[in-house]
Amino acid sequence: MESKFLRAEEVAQELSVSKPYAYKLIRQLNDELKAKGFITISGRINREYFNERLYGARKEH
């Protein structure tokens, strides 16, 4: 089963970027989620939100 959250290492690998840049991106996405009233976890990003924001992929329910 896939984890609901991505860690910085996974983000860096997925986007072929450095780990520090992955942390910066996660921080930015988490700030967006916080502004919407969601609880976030430092250094991790919700997989679904990550895919939606980076690829425009939205899971239909």
Side-chain angles (χ1 to χ4, degrees):
M1 184 172 138
E2 247 182 0
S3 171
K4 289 188 182 223
F5 293 92
L6 291 169
R7 294 175 179 257
E9 295 83 11
E10 295 168 299
V11 171
Q13 186 176 8
E14 173 79 21
L15 301 176
S16 299
V17 297
S18 68
K19 202 167 154 185
Y21 186 77
Y23 276 112
K24 182 178 178 180
L25 184 58
I26 289 171
R27 200 173 311 115
Q28 178 184 338
L29 294 173
N30 276 337
D31 287 345
E32 292 175 12
L33 286 170
K34 282 180 194 173
K36 294 179 182 183
F38 291 95
I39 296 171
T40 61
I41 301 171
S42 294
R44 298 182 191 190
I45 185 65
N46 178 281
R47 183 181 303 273
E48 207 171 304
Y49 189 70
F50 173 82
N51 288 329
E52 180 182 325
R53 288 289 286 125
L54 268 75
Y55 303 118
R58 178 171 239 155
K59 193 175 183 181
E60 296 297 324
H61 295 280

